[in-house]
Amino acid sequence: MTTQKDNAPKDAVRDKRMAIIDAALAVISETGILNATVEDIARRAGVAKGTVYLYFKTKEEILVEMVVEKSGETLAAVHKAASGVSGIWEKLRAAMRIHFANIIEHMPNVLIDEGMLHLTAAHKKKLLNAKFAHVKFYEEIIAEHFAKSGREPPFSPLASALALIGGLIGYVFQRHHFKDAAVGPDEYLRTYEAIVQAALIGGETKSEKSKRK
Amino acid sequence: MTTQKDNAPKDAVRDKRMAIIDAALAVISETGILNATVEDIARRAGVAKGTVYLYFKTKEEILVEMVVEKSGETLAAVHKAASGVSGIWEKLRAAMRIHFANIIEHMPNVLIDEGMLHLTAAHKKKLLNAKFAHVKFYEEIIAEHFAKSGREPPFSPLASALALIGGLIGYVFQRHHFKDAAVGPDEYLRTYEAIVQAALIGGETKSEKSKRK
Amino acid sequence: MTTQKDNAPKDAVRDKRMAIIDAALAVISETGILNATVEDIARRAGVAKGTVYLYFKTKEEILVEMVVEKSGETLAAVHKAASGVSGIWEKLRAAMRIHFANIIEHMPNVLIDEGMLHLTAAHKKKLLNAKFAHVKFYEEIIAEHFAKSGREPPFSPLASALALIGGLIGYVFQRHHFKDAAVGPDEYLRTYEAIVQAALIGGETKSEKSKRK
Amino acid sequence: MTTQKDNAPKDAVRDKRMAIIDAALAVISETGILNATVEDIARRAGVAKGTVYLYFKTKEEILVEMVVEKSGETLAAVHKAASGVSGIWEKLRAAMRIHFANIIEHMPNVLIDEGMLHLTAAHKKKLLNAKFAHVKFYEEIIAEHFAKSGREPPFSPLASALALIGGLIGYVFQRHHFKDAAVGPDEYLRTYEAIVQAALIGGETKSEKSKRK
DNA sequence: GATGAATGAGAGTTCATTCAT
DNA sequence: TATGAATGAACTCTCATTCAT
């Protein structure tokens, strides 16, 4: 049994860690990775510059931990959303919706590319593992779907999962076009859902049909 | 009429400009945007550091002009590929293939995001216009396709075009996963083609059918 | 009369003070003055960083007090060694041996130079006084020796004392050469003893002669 | 044949390099190694902070190169002085005088200890080699002296050389005592010369005797 | 036009010192 | 008395940009 006294300091540490990570996300969103300074992040988090280094060894570590943390949150949310519904397509759609919302909210996560930074091998691995967990999630669902349908899988579940995520994060790099065009993220998502459905599922599912009645 | 005397220096200027842009692309590919220095770019281009500033006002301008230039090259190649074949789907597929090859070759182009840098308004606009030209290309083809098929367009051509490109560039951000997984860019492209075909075209086209025979 | 109750806390204070000083000496020996941090010293002493500041006002004070303390210990040991034997040269030699052993043991003491640090006037004075006590010790012995010998003193006792100590501490700055060369501290000391003896005493003393028989 | 045009840039480089080294020496003399900043050194040398890094990769390299350079100068001066006179003791004395003058002039050189800093292996080796060249110079002279005198060498030439230098640089660490005491560096040197002469040479040389007449 | 030495603002990081607990 | 999280001044080093040659 852990007393409150035991947890309090641990929670305080986690809180401040998360505050710094959130600050980093916010600062990067506003100024871009190239211009985000540790001082900015500290100020945003409401701590001194030196304090940041009590929680993260380097600026690089802040970025990596930010991606890992937020990717984890996203994956958890996606999992939860998918397990709340039944049916392959319903699961996929629920996952995609939450996933897309998270991608938009944590945009810098997507923009931080392993090749842009000069990460240590360990950090690079950590980053890729965090991202790959998302791929595996979709891969499993798609594989299950292909298995259930009697027909020959039209393409590999892994490639499908990668393409699916690719389409979701591709939005981020085109987001500025949406201001001019009369196409918002909602329409993008709806379109993309339809594309995926048509490609992977092939027409309406039974539950979709019954809903329409 | 322009004499040779007039053109020669202009060409020399354009050559050096392009040499610097190509050097920038190469350096960024290797070291990442964060670590690419003007000195690296100059050395790679075979000119002195100061010379770079005779052709570009700032480092930012190098990046912007690089994207504009390379995007233009890509669009020209895509256009050419599409006009070489007949049939909507054939055009789309030819375009996607060339586009995808260019995306991989000019990866930094994709990675340079308007939100990452701190661009001036003019530069940002220039960048977005260059990128949007691609979107419009696909939008037109898709719109034409929807118009030809008698049925109601399932989703807006613009959103479709954005999603289509999104899926293509999404590959770049997942490229590191492909080393571990047994999925190469070719399989990604094939899968993605199939997804797009299924979604936008709806099953095999006539030409596809005839090919199979 | 002081009760045990009074002394106990005082002793505890002195113990912790000495623990910190010893920790400082150990840390500096290992990492060098430039890299020795208060945190290192505290950890080595087994106390918290803040605790160090209950016993010393600044890091500078730790260093100064360390030198004063260790110099005092050395001087006491030297005194004791010298008073344990009779004869001028015997005293000198006994003193030099103990002194040299202490110099090697407390190397940072020697390396901490008044000009390297940016000491307050008070600290500088304290440091110099501690060091000068050593000089005076040798000066007195040498002066006594010169007085006893009928002959004119060949050089001032003070200069002699300074040169004598100079030769001893000079070892510290050349200690790295001894690894390569086949000369250890013992041979250095033996050589230096002989030099001093030849110069100040002038040939063997009577007790040396009798020992040889 | 090298034209003036060829040498000019090389000389300019060397001049600036030396200006920075001299500035480093001056700044360290005044503020101590611990407080000497690169900015101070740059200002003193009359260049911008960044310029220093065009000539030296790190601050550590400035220090190492400073020692190497000044040690080399000293050794050259010592060599020249020794070769200007004949007779072992005359050579030794001339060398010691110049050496001592250089030690006082380049005091920080002596104070920079391999154990205080956290040098890379390569830098440490470079530093030690530079210093050891001095030792070897004296070792050779002393060995020659021992060889010429028929008698058994009383102590190893190497240990003797180390002790000799030890006594010279020992002055630096006691220099502050000389302000209070009525002993200046000149008297220290004279005393030390006499000590060395008595120990290594054994009484007056013939040239000394003749001088006295 | 071309060069590259020089600049200096600004970045990441460290660490002596403080102070609420 | 003892703690160690927090602070922020100060450090080393980088690099986009300039300009005399």
Side-chain angles (χ1 to χ4, degrees):
Chain A
M1 185 188 116
T2 54
T3 67
Q4 220 181 336
K5 212 180 166 187
D6 288 330
N7 284 337
K10 279 184 192 171
D11 287 353
V13 163
R14 193 161 51 213
D15 286 354
K16 198 155 279 185
R17 219 187 94 95
M18 285 307 299
I20 293 168
I21 283 178
D22 286 336
L25 194 67
V27 169
I28 292 173
S29 289
E30 285 165 23
T31 69
I33 303 176
L34 261 77
N35 305 287
T37 69
V38 173
E39 188 154 25
D40 288 340
I41 294 171
R43 193 174 11 253
R44 182 68 157 247
V47 299
K49 204 171 12 157
T51 305
V52 171
Y53 286 88
L54 295 177
Y55 294 86
F56 302 92
K57 269 198 282 297
T58 60
K59 186 189 178 186
E60 178 183 317
E61 194 176 288
I62 302 175
L63 299 181
V64 171
E65 292 299 316
M66 180 182 88
V67 174
V68 169
E69 189 70 44
K70 293 299 171 187
S71 291
E73 284 180 20
T74 296
L75 186 57
V78 165
H79 255 122
K80 195 179 163 195
S83 61
V85 297
S86 64
I88 296 290
W89 169 241
E90 283 72 20
K91 279 185 192 300
L92 258 186
R93 194 161 83 154
M96 282 170 70
R97 297 197 155 206
I98 295 292
H99 198 165
F100 190 67
N102 270 263
I103 281 172
I104 289 176
E105 194 185 344
H106 305 151
M107 211 169 284
N109 254 31
V110 174
L111 293 170
I112 289 175
D113 180 77
E114 303 82 52
M116 274 176 38
L117 280 49
H118 198 65
L119 301 177
T120 64
H123 276 158
K124 193 170 178 180
K125 195 172 178 185
K126 206 171 184 186
L127 209 66
L128 288 173
N129 283 344
K131 289 186 171 184
F132 200 56
H134 291 185
V135 180
K136 281 196 289 200
F137 169 80
Y138 287 108
E139 186 191 9
E140 277 171 30
I141 296 190
I142 294 169
E144 193 188 342
H145 167 63
F146 286 159
K148 273 189 182 164
S149 81
R151 54 178 171 138
E152 177 86 1
F155 8 83
S156 100
L158 182 56
S160 306
L162 286 163
L164 189 156
I165 294 179
L168 289 180
I169 65 181
Y171 165 79
V172 169
F173 293 86
Q174 305 186 285
R175 66 193 182 285
H176 291 107
H177 297 327
F178 290 84
K179 286 175 197 158
D180 307 319
V183 178
D186 290 342
E187 185 168 355
Y188 184 90
L189 178 61
R190 242 180 298 124
T191 306
Y192 198 65
E193 277 178 9
I195 289 177
V196 170
Q197 186 182 19
L200 297 186
I201 313 297
E204 294 180 48
T205 60
K206 281 171 195 166
S207 62
E208 284 284 305
K209 265 184 197 160
S210 57
K211 259 187 198 163
R212 266 212 296 164
K213 279 178 201 167
Chain B
M1 185 186 117
T2 53
T3 67
Q4 221 181 336
K5 212 180 169 188
D6 288 330
N7 283 339
K10 278 186 192 169
D11 287 353
V13 163
R14 189 156 58 211
D15 286 354
K16 202 159 278 187
R17 220 187 90 96
M18 285 306 299
I20 293 168
I21 283 178
D22 286 335
L25 192 68
V27 169
I28 292 174
S29 289
E30 285 165 23
T31 68
I33 304 175
L34 260 76
N35 305 290
T37 68
V38 173
E39 185 154 25
D40 288 340
I41 293 169
R43 188 171 21 247
R44 183 69 156 247
V47 299
K49 211 182 344 171
T51 306
V52 171
Y53 285 86
L54 296 175
Y55 294 85
F56 301 92
K57 269 198 283 296
T58 62
K59 185 188 178 187
E60 179 183 316
E61 194 175 287
I62 303 175
L63 299 181
V64 171
E65 293 298 318
M66 179 184 88
V67 174
V68 170
E69 191 68 45
K70 294 298 169 188
S71 291
E73 284 181 17
T74 296
L75 186 57
V78 165
H79 256 121
K80 194 180 165 195
S83 61
V85 297
S86 64
I88 297 289
W89 169 240
E90 282 72 18
K91 280 185 193 299
L92 259 187
R93 193 160 84 153
M96 281 170 70
R97 296 199 155 203
I98 296 293
H99 199 166
F100 190 66
N102 271 264
I103 281 172
I104 288 177
E105 195 184 343
H106 306 151
M107 211 170 284
N109 254 32
V110 175
L111 293 170
I112 289 175
D113 180 78
E114 302 82 52
M116 271 176 42
L117 280 50
H118 199 66
L119 301 176
T120 63
H123 277 157
K124 193 169 177 179
K125 194 172 178 186
K126 206 171 185 186
L127 208 66
L128 288 173
N129 283 344
K131 288 187 172 182
F132 199 56
H134 292 187
V135 180
K136 281 196 289 200
F137 168 81
Y138 287 107
E139 185 190 8
E140 276 170 29
I141 296 189
I142 294 169
E144 193 187 343
H145 166 63
F146 287 160
K148 275 190 182 163
S149 80
R151 51 174 173 143
E152 174 87 1
F155 9 82
S156 99
L158 182 56
S160 305
L162 287 164
L164 189 154
I165 295 180
L168 289 180
I169 65 181
Y171 165 79
V172 170
F173 293 86
Q174 304 186 287
R175 66 192 182 284
H176 290 108
H177 297 327
F178 290 84
K179 287 176 196 157
D180 308 319
V183 179
D186 290 343
E187 185 168 357
Y188 184 89
L189 178 60
R190 243 181 297 124
T191 305
Y192 198 65
E193 277 178 9
I195 288 176
V196 170
Q197 186 182 18
L200 296 186
I201 313 297
E204 294 181 46
T205 61
K206 282 171 195 166
S207 63
E208 284 283 306
K209 264 184 198 158
S210 56
K211 258 188 197 162
R212 267 212 295 165
K213 278 178 202 166
Chain C
M1 185 185 115
T2 54
T3 67
Q4 224 180 334
K5 211 179 168 187
D6 288 330
N7 282 338
K10 278 186 192 169
D11 288 352
V13 163
R14 190 154 60 210
D15 286 353
K16 201 160 276 187
R17 219 186 93 97
M18 284 307 299
I20 293 168
I21 283 178
D22 286 336
L25 193 68
V27 169
I28 292 174
S29 289
E30 285 165 22
T31 68
I33 302 177
L34 259 76
N35 305 289
T37 68
V38 172
E39 185 154 25
D40 288 340
I41 293 170
R43 188 171 22 248
R44 183 70 156 246
V47 299
K49 211 183 343 173
T51 306
V52 170
Y53 285 86
L54 295 176
Y55 294 86
F56 301 91
K57 269 198 282 296
T58 63
K59 187 189 178 186
E60 179 183 317
E61 193 176 289
I62 303 175
L63 299 181
V64 171
E65 294 298 317
M66 180 183 87
V67 174
V68 169
E69 190 68 46
K70 293 300 171 186
S71 291
E73 284 181 19
T74 296
L75 186 57
V78 165
H79 255 122
K80 194 179 163 195
S83 61
V85 296
S86 64
I88 296 290
W89 168 242
E90 282 72 20
K91 279 184 192 299
L92 259 187
R93 194 161 84 154
M96 282 170 70
R97 298 197 154 203
I98 295 294
H99 198 166
F100 191 67
N102 271 264
I103 281 172
I104 289 177
E105 195 183 342
H106 305 150
M107 212 170 285
N109 254 31
V110 175
L111 293 170
I112 290 175
D113 181 77
E114 302 82 52
M116 273 176 41
L117 280 50
H118 200 66
L119 302 176
T120 63
H123 277 157
K124 192 169 177 180
K125 194 171 177 185
K126 205 170 184 186
L127 207 66
L128 288 174
N129 283 343
K131 288 187 173 183
F132 199 56
H134 292 186
V135 181
K136 281 196 290 200
F137 168 81
Y138 287 107
E139 185 190 9
E140 276 170 29
I141 296 189
I142 294 169
E144 192 188 343
H145 167 63
F146 286 160
K148 274 189 182 166
S149 79
R151 52 176 174 144
E152 175 86 0
F155 9 83
S156 99
L158 181 57
S160 305
L162 286 164
L164 189 155
I165 294 179
L168 289 180
I169 66 181
Y171 165 79
V172 169
F173 291 87
Q174 304 186 288
R175 64 192 184 285
H176 290 108
H177 297 327
F178 290 84
K179 286 176 198 157
D180 308 318
V183 179
D186 290 342
E187 185 169 355
Y188 184 89
L189 178 61
R190 243 180 299 123
T191 305
Y192 198 65
E193 277 178 10
I195 288 176
V196 170
Q197 185 181 18
L200 297 185
I201 313 295
E204 293 180 47
T205 60
K206 281 169 194 167
S207 62
E208 285 284 305
K209 266 186 196 160
S210 56
K211 259 188 197 163
R212 267 213 294 163
K213 281 177 198 168
Chain D
M1 184 187 116
T2 54
T3 66
Q4 222 181 335
K5 212 179 167 187
D6 288 330
N7 284 336
K10 279 185 193 170
D11 287 353
V13 164
R14 192 160 51 213
D15 285 355
K16 199 156 280 185
R17 218 187 95 98
M18 284 307 300
I20 293 168
I21 283 179
D22 286 336
L25 194 68
V27 169
I28 292 174
S29 289
E30 285 166 22
T31 69
I33 303 176
L34 262 74
N35 304 289
T37 70
V38 173
E39 189 154 24
D40 288 340
I41 293 170
R43 191 172 15 250
R44 181 69 157 246
V47 299
K49 209 179 359 165
T51 306
V52 170
Y53 286 90
L54 295 177
Y55 294 86
F56 301 92
K57 270 198 281 296
T58 60
K59 185 189 177 185
E60 179 183 318
E61 193 175 289
I62 304 175
L63 299 181
V64 171
E65 293 298 316
M66 180 183 87
V67 174
V68 169
E69 190 69 47
K70 293 300 172 186
S71 291
E73 284 181 18
T74 296
L75 187 57
V78 165
H79 254 121
K80 194 179 164 196
S83 62
V85 296
S86 64
I88 296 290
W89 168 241
E90 282 72 18
K91 279 183 191 302
L92 259 187
R93 194 160 82 154
M96 282 170 70
R97 296 197 155 205
I98 296 292
H99 198 166
F100 190 67
N102 271 265
I103 281 172
I104 289 177
E105 195 184 342
H106 307 151
M107 213 169 283
N109 253 33
V110 175
L111 293 170
I112 289 175
D113 182 76
E114 302 82 52
M116 272 176 41
L117 279 51
H118 200 64
L119 302 176
T120 64
H123 276 159
K124 192 169 177 179
K125 195 172 177 184
K126 206 171 184 187
L127 209 67
L128 288 174
N129 283 344
K131 289 187 172 183
F132 199 57
H134 292 186
V135 180
K136 281 196 288 202
F137 168 81
Y138 287 107
E139 185 191 9
E140 277 170 31
I141 295 189
I142 295 170
E144 194 188 342
H145 167 62
F146 286 160
K148 274 189 183 164
S149 80
R151 51 177 175 142
E152 175 85 1
F155 9 82
S156 99
L158 182 57
S160 304
L162 287 163
L164 188 155
I165 294 179
L168 290 179
I169 65 180
Y171 166 79
V172 170
F173 293 86
Q174 304 186 287
R175 65 194 183 283
H176 291 107
H177 298 327
F178 291 84
K179 286 175 197 158
D180 308 319
V183 178
D186 290 342
E187 184 169 356
Y188 184 90
L189 178 61
R190 243 180 297 124
T191 305
Y192 198 64
E193 278 179 9
I195 289 177
V196 170
Q197 185 181 19
L200 297 186
I201 312 297
E204 294 180 47
T205 62
K206 279 169 195 166
S207 62
E208 286 284 305
K209 264 184 196 160
S210 57
K211 256 187 200 165
R212 266 212 298 162
K213 280 178 199 168

